Amino acid sequence: MLFQVRMDVNIPLDMPVETATEIKAREKAYSQELQRQGKWRHIWRITGQYSNISIFDVESNEELHNILQGLPLYPYMNMEVMALNRHPSSVREDDS
């Protein structure tokens, strides 16, 4: 199942820099491992914002939910999740 997820990050301004740096390092490691596994297909920055658009390829809604809740920055994010389905007018045989 493919999902588009928009993630907007809002780290509190009063969070100590060392704490924010440590959380971001854990976030990077976690997301890169999911990318290597093929679960986190794509990630793009949104210009001028601390936000991204990502594409996930997971087995179920529950798997995506668990992945997103596992993000170290999850407590500081607003997310918008959209399920994706193949369009019948696509010229591609797959989702490449």
Side-chain angles (χ1 to χ4, degrees):
M1 299 176 72
L2 293 177
F3 292 89
Q4 173 189 298
V5 181
R6 178 185 171 132
M7 301 177 205
D8 299 308
V9 182
N10 301 295
I11 295 176
L13 296 175
D14 60 348
M15 180 182 284
V17 173
E18 301 80 23
T19 303
T21 300
E22 188 271 330
I23 293 170
K24 290 176 192 178
R26 287 190 294 120
E27 180 89 5
K28 183 176 182 176
Y30 181 74
S31 69
Q32 288 181 341
E33 179 55 32
L34 288 166
Q35 289 173 65
R36 283 189 276 282
Q37 292 173 16
K39 301 284 182 187
W40 197 323
R41 282 275 190 94
H42 301 280
I43 182 169
W44 293 277
R45 282 184 173 170
I46 299 174
T47 303
Q49 300 177 33
Y50 194 176
S51 303
N52 74 71
I53 298 287
S54 293
I55 303 296
F56 288 86
D57 188 357
V58 294
E59 295 296 318
S60 66
N61 295 340
E62 183 177 3
E63 182 181 16
L64 178 63
H65 181 76
N66 292 335
I67 285 171
L68 296 177
Q69 281 196 319
L71 291 166
L73 285 170
Y74 179 81
Y76 313 106
M77 289 184 178
N78 294 320
M79 294 187 195
E80 181 181 324
V81 177
M82 191 179 319
L84 302 174
N85 293 291
R86 190 166 153 62
H87 196 285
S89 296
S90 176
V91 298
R92 307 240 186 279
E93 294 297 319
D94 58 17
D95 63 357
S96 63

